Amino acid sequence: MSADAAYQGAPGAFSEDAAQALLGGGLDLLPCARFVHVFDAVESGRARFGVVPIENTVAGSVQPVHDLLADRELCIMAETVVRVAHALVGVPGSRAHEIRQVLSHPVALAQCESFFRSRPEVEPVPVYDTAGAVLQVVGEGRRHRAASASRRAAALHGGMVLAEGLEDDPANFTRFLLLSPEAEARASAGHGFKTSLIMTVPHQPGALCAALRVFAARGLDLLKIESRPLRGRPFEYSFWLDVAGHAEDPPVAEALMALEEQSGGVRVLGSYRRADEGVPRGK
Amino acid sequence: MSADAAYQGAPGAFSEDAAQALLGGGLDLLPCARFVHVFDAVESGRARFGVVPIENTVAGSVQPVHDLLADRELCIMAETVVRVAHALVGVPGSRAHEIRQVLSHPVALAQCESFFRSRPEVEPVPVYDTAGAVLQVVGEGRRHRAASASRRAAALHGGMVLAEGLEDDPANFTRFLLLSPEAEARASAGHGFKTSLIMTVPHQPGALCAALRVFAARGLDLLKIESRPLRGRPFEYSFWLDVAGHAEDPPVAEALMALEEQSGGVRVLGSYRRADEGVPRGK
């Protein structure tokens, strides 16, 4: 029997919140140690879907997930945006002023830069996930070590919340993707969709500009652009675009055809309903 | 007395190789635990220059360094490209088949993905730098733990090389920047320069395309584009561009003026001699 969805991290991870937001409650979830295991689980059928973070509004793109999406064949079905609030989670009975090391995912630690600057006696320690950091801290039982993780992870694993709001910026959100082996037929027509694609462009002046003009000429809004290195071709890049609209909408379909003609290659990862609008702004 | 240059990592780090390539041998170098300490050291005058990695040809951009360059006021003086080769470094007397954990910087671990896939019994463990991982492994003296680091780091800190070529791709290079508090007057005229800048563009369809057209219209080659999240403005971005040419060359100077007029803001980080050409290709 296969799980409903695989995610990276331990129970209590923000990815688990995302899975519930995307698929509903009462799920049979498969926690995985690393992102590559999430892709393996979905490809092998051990999980029906995969849930992975793609970008954070403070720390930026989750680079390993971009590379896995490019290397593997999974499709993007949906996205959701999760508010990320970091608590300082210690062992029961510990005090905030005793903490000398804070364990968390490197992306989570990067979101708490001001906290570490204001407390130079505290050392950030990278580990593979936020909820797993709570498990480790509680398991070791050392009073000078804490995790940076959610209140939910603290409650699940018997950690004590010593402080809240460790993140630099209250406008701290992570966007997650729902992945599956096969693209779904279009769910519904109309506004509010985006299309994610990867393209390579010829290595010559103006090539990227010409590729983007394909969208601008049709009034299509470019929501995101991201470059990733091409393997074995130092200092050459592929480009990730999120474009407003569904790949079956005539202007998007025409743009994709034009792009195919002029560029080195285009691959559509999926069209899905946008969740990045209406997110509250920070200060 | 101030050091010649600050870098992140322990002696034997790839950043130390870069400092020597940029400034020559016989340097008084200041190792720093984290990137933010490199910036602090240069701003406070404890080091004359800073040396930081900006991108790797396998793992991609070094995101925290982009954010520090945006937040602080340092200028880019020069760049160099260092070949990165990872060895498996254990305690003296250990054997490769005994290793169950490999410690290294997350970017270094990401460069060795195939190694970890082929040996699922080996767990990657993120720490803050490659040479520091050797120090930790040798200090702890546990036979099942190894570091992924350079041969030089192994030799400096008494580690034993158990295997070489852990990296997925032999075309594994890291580009490093030399930073200082003040821009230098133009060293020499002519070809072979690049200019790095950060820009924001209005949040409307075609705005990025219009900004890039400023360069394309003048035949200026865009060497790199990178997006970084804007703080407090979820899912809006600033763009990092590397453009061929010196900021004082007429076509680049004109493009910068045009960009200033049409976009939200432009900041030039520096013009410096290119080191990304002539790097050997992989397979």
Side-chain angles (χ1 to χ4, degrees):
Chain A
M1 210 192 82
S2 76
D4 295 310
Y7 68 95
Q8 190 266 336
F14 293 106
S15 291
E16 202 188 40
D17 295 332
Q20 285 162 2
L22 286 161
L23 297 167
L27 297 172
D28 175 22
L29 293 175
L30 178 66
C32 297
R34 289 165 53 220
F35 291 131
V36 68
H37 301 149
V38 175
F39 282 74
D40 290 345
V42 179
E43 288 184 355
S44 68
R46 277 178 293 124
R48 190 166 164 224
F49 296 106
V51 175
V52 289
I54 187 79
E55 69 172 318
N56 172 271
T57 57
V58 176
S61 288
V62 184
Q63 296 168 326
V65 171
H66 283 79
D67 292 337
L68 284 162
L69 280 164
D71 290 346
R72 305 298 194 89
E73 303 289 327
L74 299 183
C75 306
I76 305 174
M77 308 296 293
E79 68 174 9
T80 192
V81 171
V82 171
R83 166 84 168 89
V84 175
H86 292 290
L88 185 69
V89 183
V91 299
S94 63
R95 307 277 291 277
H97 68 82
E98 297 174 320
I99 301 304
R100 292 295 173 271
Q101 291 189 315
V102 176
L103 285 66
S104 200
H105 189 280
V107 171
L109 295 171
Q111 293 161 13
C112 305
E113 190 59 44
S114 308
F115 170 81
F116 289 108
R117 280 189 73 72
S118 69
R119 298 188 54 178
E121 76 281 10
V122 179
E123 181 197 358
V125 177
V127 296
Y128 265 101
D129 70 299
T130 57
V134 177
L135 269 172
Q136 187 176 337
V137 162
V138 171
E140 292 175 347
R142 290 150 74 183
R143 295 171 63 97
H144 75 283
R145 284 193 135 188
S148 162
S150 69
R151 284 193 72 88
R152 196 168 67 83
L156 267 176
H157 303 302
M160 194 170 84
V161 173
L162 307 179
E164 296 198 76
L166 260 57
E167 61 273 18
D168 295 353
D169 191 324
N172 190 6
F173 299 91
T174 299
R175 188 163 63 90
F176 289 86
L177 302 178
L178 182 70
L179 308 178
S180 96
E182 275 172 69
E184 215 167 49
R186 179 170 185 157
S188 63
H191 286 291
F193 282 84
K194 67 165 74 162
T195 297
S196 293
L197 60 101
I198 308 175
M199 67 175 189
T200 52
V201 300
H203 194 56
Q204 61 196 45
L208 178 61
C209 180
L212 299 186
R213 201 178 298 145
V214 155
F215 298 100
R218 291 168 176 83
L220 294 168
D221 197 3
L222 194 63
L223 304 173
K224 177 150 178 63
I225 180 168
E226 182 69 29
S227 60
R228 291 297 301 152
L230 286 172
R231 292 275 166 118
R233 291 163 65 181
F235 307 113
E236 295 185 34
Y237 308 90
S238 63
F239 296 96
W240 287 68
L241 305 182
D242 282 356
V243 179
H246 196 289
E248 291 173 17
D249 289 342
V252 181
E254 283 167 32
L256 290 171
M257 276 200 336
L259 201 61
E260 190 89 52
E261 275 167 31
Q262 77 174 49
S263 92
V266 186
R267 178 180 155 207
V268 174
L269 293 167
S271 290
Y272 48 97
R273 192 166 284 283
R274 292 178 65 173
D276 62 327
E277 291 175 302
V279 166
R281 294 297 164 87
K283 299 156 285 188
Chain B
M1 212 191 82
S2 76
D4 294 311
Y7 69 94
Q8 191 265 336
F14 293 106
S15 292
E16 202 188 41
D17 295 332
Q20 285 163 1
L22 286 161
L23 296 167
L27 297 172
D28 175 22
L29 295 175
L30 178 65
C32 297
R34 290 167 51 221
F35 291 131
V36 68
H37 302 150
V38 174
F39 282 74
D40 290 345
V42 179
E43 287 184 355
S44 69
R46 279 179 292 123
R48 192 166 163 223
F49 295 105
V51 174
V52 288
I54 188 78
E55 69 172 317
N56 171 269
T57 56
V58 176
S61 289
V62 184
Q63 295 168 326
V65 171
H66 283 79
D67 291 338
L68 284 162
L69 280 165
D71 290 346
R72 304 297 194 87
E73 303 289 327
L74 299 184
C75 306
I76 305 174
M77 309 296 292
E79 69 174 10
T80 191
V81 172
V82 171
R83 165 85 168 89
V84 174
H86 293 291
L88 186 69
V89 183
V91 299
S94 62
R95 308 278 291 275
H97 68 84
E98 296 173 321
I99 301 303
R100 292 295 174 271
Q101 290 188 316
V102 176
L103 284 66
S104 200
H105 190 280
V107 171
L109 295 172
Q111 293 161 13
C112 305
E113 190 59 45
S114 307
F115 170 82
F116 289 108
R117 281 189 73 73
S118 69
R119 298 189 52 179
E121 76 281 10
V122 179
E123 179 197 1
V125 177
V127 296
Y128 264 101
D129 69 299
T130 57
V134 177
L135 270 171
Q136 186 176 338
V137 163
V138 171
E140 293 175 347
R142 288 149 75 184
R143 295 171 64 97
H144 74 284
R145 283 192 135 187
S148 162
S150 69
R151 284 194 71 90
R152 196 167 69 82
L156 267 176
H157 302 304
M160 195 170 83
V161 173
L162 307 179
E164 295 199 77
L166 259 57
E167 61 273 19
D168 295 354
D169 190 325
N172 189 5
F173 299 91
T174 299
R175 188 163 64 90
F176 289 87
L177 302 178
L178 182 70
L179 307 178
S180 96
E182 276 172 68
E184 214 166 52
R186 178 169 186 158
S188 62
H191 285 292
F193 282 84
K194 68 164 74 164
T195 297
S196 293
L197 60 101
I198 308 175
M199 66 175 190
T200 52
V201 300
H203 195 56
Q204 61 196 46
L208 178 62
C209 180
L212 299 186
R213 200 179 300 144
V214 155
F215 298 100
R218 291 168 177 82
L220 294 168
D221 196 3
L222 194 62
L223 304 172
K224 176 149 179 65
I225 180 168
E226 181 70 30
S227 60
R228 292 296 302 149
L230 286 172
R231 291 275 166 118
R233 291 163 66 182
F235 307 113
E236 295 186 34
Y237 308 89
S238 62
F239 296 96
W240 288 68
L241 304 182
D242 283 356
V243 180
H246 196 288
E248 291 174 18
D249 290 342
V252 181
E254 283 167 32
L256 291 171
M257 277 203 330
L259 201 59
E260 191 90 51
E261 275 167 31
Q262 78 173 49
S263 91
V266 186
R267 178 180 154 208
V268 174
L269 293 167
S271 290
Y272 47 97
R273 192 166 284 283
R274 292 178 65 171
D276 61 328
E277 292 175 301
V279 166
R281 296 295 165 86
K283 299 158 284 187

